[in-house]
Amino acid sequence: MLVANKSKRFILAPYIQDDHWMLLLFCLYESVIYVFDSLRKERKIRLTTPARTAFKLYVPEGGLRNNRKEFLWHHTEVQCPQQEGGTECGFYVMRYMHDIVMLSQKNPNVNWKVGLGSRSYTKKEINEIRELWAKCFTLECL
């Protein structure tokens, strides 16, 4: 994934662990991974070893843009909207992806630790993303 996309600024990777969806934002130029977690709690992300392995393959292929030896991880300090219920994490991940793409188009130098803020999404914002994804799926996949 990293080597094939080394010319990209970032990669969005939805990730599920213990029945909870999170979004990993791989910022390739900075060699940083931001974890957008709608339940922002301390957890050991089990993807760290595969990410280290991918990074070791990525560097010799010309993907290194700084002097880091491995990806720097940001998790609990990343501000992102927090879910109030117990089942919305998938919709939050879809909304994070949408908001990250839209924000990065407006400002390519977003500070992702604070970029999305820490409020909750409204029902309107969650319904909006449901409709966008349903339209996309209907047009592209059916």
Side-chain angles (χ1 to χ4, degrees):
M1 170 179 81
L2 293 176
V3 173
N5 291 292
K6 67 183 177 189
S7 65
K8 306 292 185 213
R9 285 187 21 234
F10 58 81
I11 297 171
L12 298 169
Y15 175 66
I16 191 166
Q17 179 175 302
D18 301 325
D19 297 323
H20 177 66
W21 283 100
M22 296 170 272
L23 180 66
L24 305 180
L25 173 64
F26 289 75
C27 289
L28 301 180
Y29 291 176
E30 298 87 18
S31 300
V32 175
I33 300 172
Y34 295 96
V35 180
F36 290 80
D37 183 352
S38 61
L39 291 177
R40 192 185 313 129
K41 67 179 189 178
E42 192 63 43
R43 68 176 87 234
K44 181 166 174 40
I45 304 294
R46 291 191 292 264
L47 195 64
T48 54
T49 301
R52 280 190 194 108
T53 303
F55 190 77
K56 287 178 184 174
L57 297 172
Y58 172 68
V59 172
E61 293 292 329
L64 185 65
R65 298 212 177 20
N66 55 50
N67 292 324
R68 286 211 178 91
K69 302 263 187 266
E70 62 181 45
F71 279 110
L72 178 64
W73 287 78
H74 291 293
H75 182 200
T76 55
E77 68 272 19
V78 174
Q79 292 183 23
C80 57
Q82 299 294 287
Q83 69 186 68
E84 294 177 359
T87 59
E88 303 93 353
C89 57
F91 294 114
Y92 270 68
V93 166
M94 290 189 291
R95 187 70 203 207
Y96 294 158
M97 290 189 289
H98 175 269
D99 291 352
I100 288 168
V101 170
M102 300 310 282
L103 267 172
S104 68
Q105 288 177 343
K106 291 178 187 174
N107 177 7
N109 299 313
V110 174
N111 174 355
W112 293 114
K113 282 188 183 178
V114 296
L116 298 181
S118 57
R119 65 185 177 80
S120 291
Y121 285 128
T122 64
K123 286 186 187 231
K124 180 182 177 193
E125 289 170 308
I126 293 298
N127 287 335
E128 190 176 86
I129 204 66
R130 284 179 178 149
E131 288 181 27
L132 281 170
W133 281 97
K135 282 181 189 173
C136 178
F137 181 80
T138 303
L139 293 172
E140 299 295 326
C141 301
L142 296 180

